[in-house]
């Protein structure tokens, strides 16, 4: 037998698979299974995090195929985005050239993993034939009233020179480059995701996702049940409206606070207070929403004007405070300092009245209780008061019940080059004009010249910016913003079924056969961005009659993170980065696959351990030697034969269950135990050749999803002519899961003295004889009279002697 040479074996089978089209996907699945990984950004290098996403997912795809499914398991590239543009600026390259070279490099690395991707079904979002349909999606949303343009304060990254969605601002910083985010007033394009807020919450109950991801989405959408209440502004015709979840506390409202951006600030500010208010607003304008929310001291300035509390008819002062955000609620709040920590702090700082309306000993009182100082509502519980006071305000025509959401519309404009162009034209005569579908795609010019400042080259590209109005034919200007790259990834799973389809963004019949995705695998960091946006797109397309399902991903699996050998997150500066290519070149990709699945629970990950990796490689080699090596039956043993058969079926049952439940580490542990036991059988030659051959064939099929190259080579060595990856998953015999051999405990006068193995249900006389002849027992029975022998079948023998 030859030595195991993984590089030679793996290259051989990768070539065979490609030449034979082994992984081509049928267009007409009888029993479909859509197994999808979140597609990567083409950074140019397949790091260990990619491996942890792709290799275990490939194991699941292979297992599904062996279970009789027609499997769609595609891969593509999320190829638009800032990294390519920044790299092009830094290196003086064309963004498309840099991207395409990285895709070529990563494609070779992906093939080296041994994945069963159908490379006829790949795509890249920067391909005009793809983003043509991304632009089509924009137009569908626009014509349905779900895409609109408005002026507003936006998050601005000064480093990347572009706008960021709220979801891309983490603790006041850009999620990509960590720059401190600024606020700017710009005209931008938005998608009305808020129209789907209720459904986005409700439909989470219909998908099999990790509960923490569901809860993250629920919290981000932020459904609040409350009341909208009108507060007339004294001395004006204006009314300040607030949304509150605590209408029960309205009798305790002693002041109001409006956001610095509130449109009524200028109207309600008195001349005496105008200078102070203007200065305060200018200072607040330099802060981000996060800065304002997280500030320890809540600042504000009095407008000089008063509102009227509709419950008490009392005048209450109106303040401007930057801890109130225009983007949440109505941009104005009713302040109840006795029962809100933030309001209490503000009132204490500025000497404002604090009026208690819920019984309690200490202020601020934040717990439930009975109402006090609330007129006819005194004595009611908080919950009862909420509904009764809301109804009372409705009767007075100053309020009504309402549901609001924290979720804001999705800002999709980006002031950068490398993205899908927004298909809009501005005409001095016709205004905002959508590009006709027949004129798509609006092609991104590839002859870009970058400004080192990061300014988009589209702004100064004469051939691009100049356009003819589709309605009147006059000279017009093309929109120079591009779309957020999350738009590209919000529908790519639909395109995979037929990436070359020309008559629309996707083949409706093929989509109805394959979708929704049966299992989606990727990182938890996408919980409130990609995953939320994809759900929104699917619901919109369903409402427009383009798809017949409302959720894109039936089941979601999140992988954990592989840390460096030192237990810290991998970083070049820490010198703890693991390059999978180094291990593949020395040990082969199957060893890397097995190790990353064995290292711990898939949703947790863990530190890379070189020593444990060596153990995984030795396991691979042991299988190579055991399955591919010679076998000589020399001492056939019936008990060993039964035990090997039993262990094989028990392992098969365990591995089957573990794969169904994505427990790779325990599945591989079970296989290791089986291989270690079978090594002793092989050394002793204690089963006949036919059983050993059947054992090797079954083991090879079990290993096929985990180590596809090794298994294919061994399958051929075992005399099989078809690919092991066309084989069915082996079935275990439930009858053989019952222990055939068991341990009999031997006691003498009730004390443990020894044990021995027998076959299940062995005759009483035989068991007694073995117990009495057991050397450990005879030390306690010799020279003593045995009164009786007590047998508990299949458990123990107790020998009772006379003292």
């Amino acid at each position: 037998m030859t030595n195991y040479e993984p590089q030679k074996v793996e290259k051989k089978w990768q070539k065979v698979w490609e030449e034979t089209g082994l992984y081509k996907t049928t267009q007409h699945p009888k029993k479909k299974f859509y197994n999808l990984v979140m597609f990567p950004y083409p950074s140019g290098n397949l790091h260990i995090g990619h491996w942890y996403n792709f290799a275990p997912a490939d194991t699941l795809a292979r297992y599904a195929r062996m279970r009789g499914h027609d499997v769609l398991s595609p891969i593509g590239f999320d190829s638009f985005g800032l990294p390519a543009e920044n790299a092009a600026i830094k290196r003086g390259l064309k963004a498309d050239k840099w991207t395409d070279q990285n895709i070529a490099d990563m494609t070779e690395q992906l093939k080296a993993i041994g994945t069963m991707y159908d490379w006829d079904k790949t795509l890249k979002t920067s391909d005009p034939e793809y983003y043509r349909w991304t632009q089509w999606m924009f137009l569908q949303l626009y014509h349905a009233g779900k895409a609109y343009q408005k002026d507003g304060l936006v998050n601005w990254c000064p480093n990347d020179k572009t706008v960021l969605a709220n979801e891309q601002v983490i603790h006041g910083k850009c999620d990509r480059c960590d720059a401190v985010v600024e606020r700017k007033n710009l005209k931008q394009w938005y998608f009305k995701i808020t129209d789907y807020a209720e459904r986005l919450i409700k439909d989470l109950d219909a998908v099999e996702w990790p509960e923490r991801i569901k809860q993250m989405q629920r919290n981000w959408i932020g459904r609040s049940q409350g009341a909208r209440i009108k507060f007339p502004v004294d001395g004006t015709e204006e009314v300040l409206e607030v949304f509150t979840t605590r209408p029960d506390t309205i009798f305790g409202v002693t002041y109001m606070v409006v956001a610095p951006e509130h449109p009524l600030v200028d109207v309600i500010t008195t001349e005496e207070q105008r200078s102070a208010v203007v200065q305060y607003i200018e200072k607040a304008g330099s802060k981000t929403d996060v800065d304002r929310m997280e500030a320890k001291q809540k600042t504000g300035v009095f407008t000089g004007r008063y509102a009227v509390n509709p419950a008490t008819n009392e005048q209450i002062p109106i303040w401007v405070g930057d801890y109130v955000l225009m983007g949440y609620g109505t941009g104005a709040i009713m302040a109840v300092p006795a029962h809100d920590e933030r309001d209490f702090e503000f009132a204490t700082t500025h000497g404002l009245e604090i009026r208690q309306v819920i019984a309690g000993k200490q202020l601020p009182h934040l717990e439930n209780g009975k109402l006090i100082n609330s007129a006819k509502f005194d004595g009611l519980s908080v919950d009862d008061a909420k509904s009764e006071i809301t109804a009372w305000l409705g009767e007075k025509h100053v309020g009504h019940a309402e549901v609001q959401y924290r979720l804001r519309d999705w800002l999709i404009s980006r002031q950068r080059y490398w993205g899908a162009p927004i298909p809009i034209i501005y005409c001095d005569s016709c205004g905002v004009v959508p590009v006709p579908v027949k004129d798509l795609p609006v092609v991104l010019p590839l002859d870009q010249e970058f400004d080192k400042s990061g300014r988009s080259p589209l702004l100064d590209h004469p051939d691009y910016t100049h356009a003819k109005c589709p309605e009147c034919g006059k000279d017009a200007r093309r929109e120079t913003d591009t779309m957020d790259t999350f738009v590209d990834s919000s529908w790519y799973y639909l395109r995979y079924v037929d990436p070359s389809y020309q008559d629309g963004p996707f083949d409706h019949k093929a989509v109805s056969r394959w979708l929704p995705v049966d299992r989606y695998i990727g990182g938890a960091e996408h919980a409130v961005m990609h995953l939320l946006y994809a759900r929104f797109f699917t619901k919109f397309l369903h409402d427009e009659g383009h798809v017949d399902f409302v959720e894109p991903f039936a089941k979601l699996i999140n992988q954990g993170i592989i840390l460096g050998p030192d237990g810290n997150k991998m970083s070049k500066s820490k010198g703890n980065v693991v390059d999978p290519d180094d291990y593949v070149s020395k040990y082969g990709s199957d060893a890397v696959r097995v190790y990353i699945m064995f290292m711990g629970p898939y949703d947790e990950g863990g530190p890379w351990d070189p020593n444990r990796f060596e153990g995984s490689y030795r396991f691979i080699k042991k299988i190579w030697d055991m399955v591919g090596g010679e076998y000589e039956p020399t001492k056939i043993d019936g008990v060993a034969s039964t035990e090997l058969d039993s262990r094989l079926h028990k392992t098969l049952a365990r591995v089957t269950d573990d794969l169904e439940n994505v427990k790779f580490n325990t599945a591989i542990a079970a296989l290791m135990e089986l291989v270690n036991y079978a090594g002793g059988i092989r050394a002793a030659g204690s089963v006949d050749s036919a059983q050993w051959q059947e054992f090797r064939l079954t083991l090879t099929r079990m290993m096929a999803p985990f180590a596809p190259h090794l298994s294919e080579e061994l399958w051929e060595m075992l005399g099989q002519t078809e690919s092991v990856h066309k084989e069915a998953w082996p079935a275990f015999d439930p009858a053989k899961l019952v222990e055939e051999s068991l341990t009999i405990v031997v006691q003498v006068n009730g004390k443990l003295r020894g044990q021995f193995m027998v076959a299940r249900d062995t005759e009483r006389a035989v068991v007694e004889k073995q117990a009495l002849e057991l050397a450990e027992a005879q030390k306690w029975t010799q020279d003593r009279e045995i009164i009786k022998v007590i047998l508990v079948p299949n458990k123990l023998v107790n020998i009772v002697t006379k003292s």
Side-chain angles (χ1 to χ4, degrees):
M1 177 188 175
T2 59
N3 291 328
Y4 177 49
E5 300 179 72
Q7 296 77 15
K8 182 178 178 181
V9 168
E10 290 172 1
K11 283 184 170 59
K12 167 188 171 181
W13 288 110
Q14 288 162 17
K15 182 180 179 182
V16 170
W17 296 336
E18 187 168 352
E19 289 176 350
T20 59
L22 179 63
Y23 303 127
K24 297 300 180 189
T25 309
T26 178
Q27 287 298 95
H28 299 279
K30 294 179 181 178
K31 186 182 177 184
K32 72 98 175 177
F33 196 89
Y34 191 169
N35 190 79
L36 183 62
V37 293
M38 295 180 185
F39 63 170
Y41 179 79
S43 60
N45 183 45
L46 207 63
H47 56 69
I48 199 65
H50 288 130
W51 270 79
Y52 202 44
N53 190 188
F54 303 149
D58 181 67
T59 291
L60 294 175
R62 291 179 178 280
Y63 171 71
R65 177 171 170 154
M66 294 182 78
R67 296 287 286 182
H69 292 279
D70 291 313
V71 177
L72 172 60
S73 180
I75 193 68
F77 296 93
D78 192 9
S79 52
F80 268 142
L82 276 172
E85 187 167 341
N86 289 339
I89 294 171
K90 182 179 180 180
R91 296 175 173 83
L93 302 171
K94 301 295 184 185
D96 60 305
K97 299 297 184 185
W98 186 85
T99 299
D100 288 345
Q101 183 57 57
N102 287 350
I103 288 175
D105 293 343
M106 289 181 72
T107 296
E108 291 307 307
Q109 291 177 305
L110 284 165
K111 290 179 178 179
I113 295 177
T115 51
M116 56 172 283
Y117 298 138
D118 181 350
W119 287 99
D120 288 342
K121 292 191 177 297
T122 190
L123 56 80
K124 61 177 181 178
T125 59
S126 57
D127 184 342
E129 283 303 306
Y130 182 88
Y131 68 73
R132 166 192 181 186
W133 301 111
T134 300
Q135 293 169 345
W136 179 91
M137 295 283 178
F138 177 96
L139 293 177
Q140 300 308 302
L141 287 156
Y142 179 83
H143 291 304
K146 305 299 184 186
Y148 66 95
Q149 193 178 36
K150 72 170 184 178
D151 288 313
L153 277 172
V154 297
N155 304 308
W156 178 262
C157 176
N159 184 52
D160 288 331
K161 302 290 191 300
T162 192
V163 166
L164 303 173
N166 289 334
E167 295 89 338
Q168 293 168 303
V169 180
I170 309 298
H171 302 304
K173 295 182 179 181
C174 173
D175 68 341
R176 286 188 179 274
C177 68
D178 220 28
V180 176
V181 173
E182 300 172 356
R183 300 286 280 168
K184 273 195 174 186
N185 196 30
L186 295 173
K187 181 168 282 188
Q188 303 286 285
W189 284 96
Y190 296 81
F191 287 162
K192 282 189 69 65
I193 191 173
T194 52
D195 282 359
Y196 294 81
E198 187 66 25
R199 290 165 63 187
L200 286 168
I201 291 177
K202 182 180 178 182
D203 290 350
L204 285 169
D205 294 336
V207 294
E208 189 180 346
W209 287 19
E211 186 55 37
R212 65 184 181 120
I213 300 298
K214 291 184 180 184
Q215 197 56 45
M216 287 170 72
Q217 289 208 359
R218 292 187 190 106
N219 292 341
W220 186 260
I221 297 167
R223 187 184 194 276
S224 297
Q225 179 79 46
R228 181 180 284 263
I229 305 173
K230 298 177 180 179
F231 288 76
V233 179
D234 190 49
T236 74
E237 297 294 318
E238 304 295 344
V239 172
L240 276 176
E241 292 193 2
V242 303
F243 171 79
T244 177
T245 60
R246 297 297 306 275
D248 54 297
T249 62
I250 191 167
F251 286 90
V253 176
T254 57
Y255 66 95
M256 300 187 74
V257 184
V258 297
E261 305 85 7
H262 197 289
L264 290 182
V265 168
D266 188 57
V267 175
I268 64 179
T269 300
T270 63
E271 289 305 317
E272 294 81 3
Q273 288 296 110
R274 191 167 299 281
S275 176
V277 170
V278 169
Q279 288 181 24
Y280 182 83
I281 291 174
E282 288 178 353
K283 186 175 180 180
S286 64
K287 301 177 183 178
T288 67
D289 286 357
V290 175
D291 292 336
R292 288 161 58 173
M293 291 292 288
E294 293 182 349
K296 292 182 178 179
Q297 186 175 4
K298 307 306 179 187
T299 63
V301 61
F302 180 42
T303 65
R305 191 78 66 180
Y306 293 82
V308 177
N309 185 328
T312 64
N313 290 320
E314 297 172 337
Q315 288 193 339
I316 54 176
I318 305 172
W319 285 65
V320 176
D322 64 8
Y323 71 92
V324 178
L325 304 178
M326 195 62 217
Y328 296 93
T330 64
I333 66 163
M334 61 178 221
V336 188
H339 305 290
D340 182 276
E341 283 185 313
R342 184 181 59 177
D343 294 346
F344 183 83
E345 178 188 337
F346 190 91
T348 302
T349 301
H350 298 288
L352 299 169
E353 181 185 358
I354 299 173
R355 182 183 299 168
Q356 186 173 0
V357 292
I358 299 175
K361 294 182 179 180
Q362 187 174 354
L363 297 182
H365 178 71
L366 308 178
E367 305 299 324
N368 287 341
K370 301 293 185 180
L371 264 64
I372 59 175
N373 301 322
S374 299
K376 67 177 183 177
F377 302 102
D378 283 355
L380 288 180
S381 68
V382 166
D383 288 340
D384 288 343
K386 284 180 179 180
S387 57
E388 292 198 23
I389 289 177
T390 300
W392 177 65
L393 292 171
E395 293 170 2
K396 291 162 59 73
H397 304 292
V398 292
H400 61 269
E402 186 172 282
V403 174
Q404 283 204 359
Y405 303 90
R406 178 177 177 269
L407 181 68
R408 299 285 78 119
D409 281 339
W410 177 9
L411 191 161
I412 62 106
S413 294
R414 297 294 180 268
Q415 292 67 45
R416 296 303 294 253
Y417 160 75
W418 193 235
I422 295 175
I424 289 291
I425 291 172
Y426 300 104
C427 175
D428 291 339
S429 299
C430 305
V432 178
V433 182
V435 174
V437 170
K438 67 180 179 61
D439 293 338
L440 299 180
V442 176
V443 178
L444 201 63
L446 299 181
D447 57 337
Q448 74 273 13
E449 292 294 335
F450 285 111
D451 186 318
K452 292 292 184 182
S453 70
R455 173 183 167 86
S456 172
L458 296 179
L459 293 167
D460 306 308
H461 197 293
D463 294 338
Y464 182 80
T465 56
H466 178 265
K468 292 291 184 181
C469 175
E471 294 186 359
C472 69
K474 294 180 181 178
D475 287 344
R477 303 176 311 282
R478 194 179 298 284
E479 171 65 79
T480 55
D481 283 357
T482 54
M483 287 186 243
D484 180 5
T485 54
F486 279 113
V487 179
D488 308 324
S489 59
S490 291
W491 70 278
Y492 78 110
Y493 47 91
L494 299 166
R495 185 72 177 169
Y496 270 140
V497 297
D498 187 356
S500 60
Y501 189 68
Q502 293 294 309
D503 297 331
F506 48 84
D507 182 337
H508 291 74
K509 291 182 179 179
V511 163
S512 68
R513 290 192 291 264
W514 281 108
L515 274 287
V517 173
D518 294 284
R519 183 166 46 213
Y520 197 35
I521 305 167
E525 67 273 15
H526 296 293
V528 296
M529 289 188 283
H530 163 60
L531 289 171
L532 191 65
Y533 298 151
R535 295 181 64 222
F536 157 57
F537 258 56
T538 300
K539 293 180 190 307
F540 169 74
L541 291 170
H542 173 269
D543 291 354
E544 295 295 304
H546 296 296
V547 299
D548 57 6
F549 49 91
V550 295
E551 285 292 332
F553 314 122
K555 183 173 183 177
L556 175 69
I557 297 171
N558 296 135
Q559 81 271 20
I561 298 174
I562 297 183
L563 304 173
D566 57 1
N568 296 313
K569 188 173 181 179
M570 291 189 192
S571 167
K572 289 182 180 179
S573 62
K574 294 178 181 177
N576 65 350
V577 175
V578 173
D579 186 346
D581 288 354
D582 293 342
Y583 283 84
V584 172
S585 63
K586 184 176 181 180
Y587 301 100
S589 67
D590 280 350
V592 178
R593 288 174 64 116
V594 167
Y595 173 66
I596 62 177
M597 285 184 273
F598 179 59
M599 66 190 303
Y602 187 53
D603 60 350
E604 295 179 14
W608 182 276
D609 186 336
N611 293 325
R612 291 190 71 199
F613 179 88
E614 289 285 349
S616 295
Y617 180 61
R618 287 194 297 272
F619 170 60
I620 292 280
K621 287 186 67 179
K622 187 177 290 187
I623 292 175
W624 173 267
D625 293 338
M626 177 181 294
V627 176
E630 297 293 328
Y631 176 74
E632 185 68 33
T634 56
K635 187 180 178 182
I636 296 176
D637 181 344
V639 173
S641 175
T642 300
E643 181 67 12
L644 178 63
D645 199 32
S646 174
R647 289 194 182 223
L648 178 63
H649 282 266
K650 287 176 183 175
T651 302
L652 180 52
R654 182 175 165 187
V655 172
T656 300
D657 184 68
D658 284 344
L659 284 176
E660 292 288 342
N661 292 286
V662 197
K663 296 180 179 179
F664 303 111
N665 58 323
T666 53
I668 291 172
L671 287 163
M672 288 179 171
E673 290 175 12
L674 176 65
V675 168
N676 286 339
Y677 176 79
I681 296 290
R682 181 184 179 222
S686 50
V687 299
D688 63 40
S689 296
Q691 183 179 358
W692 186 249
Q693 176 70 353
E694 185 58 34
F695 169 79
R696 292 190 296 180
L697 289 169
T698 303
L699 175 62
T700 302
R701 283 187 288 166
M702 276 197 284
M703 284 300 300
F706 301 98
H709 309 91
L710 171 77
S711 303
E712 194 79 286
E713 182 72 8
L714 291 174
W715 194 248
E716 183 182 66
M717 291 167 65
L718 290 171
Q720 307 303 304
T721 56
E722 286 284 355
S723 169
V724 69
H725 302 298
K726 289 184 177 181
E727 290 293 311
W729 183 253
F732 59 87
D733 183 351
K736 293 181 179 179
L737 304 186
V738 179
E739 292 285 353
E740 292 302 324
S741 297
L742 43 82
T743 301
I744 298 295
V745 172
V746 179
Q747 298 175 339
V748 177
N749 296 325
K751 293 183 179 180
L752 177 65
R753 298 307 183 188
Q755 60 186 32
F756 61 91
M757 297 286 295
V758 296
R760 175 177 291 277
D761 298 327
T762 300
E763 292 181 8
R764 179 187 182 97
V766 175
V767 175
E768 285 188 13
K769 184 175 184 294
Q770 282 191 246
L772 292 168
E773 292 176 351
L774 190 69
E776 291 89 340
Q778 287 183 347
K779 287 194 302 184
W780 301 93
T781 60
Q782 61 185 359
D783 302 327
R784 293 186 181 185
E785 181 184 350
I786 297 175
I787 300 174
K788 60 180 175 180
V789 177
I790 301 171
L791 173 67
V792 178
N794 295 321
K795 288 187 178 180
L796 65 84
V797 175
N798 184 20
I799 305 169
V800 181
T801 67
K802 188 174 183 179
S803 301

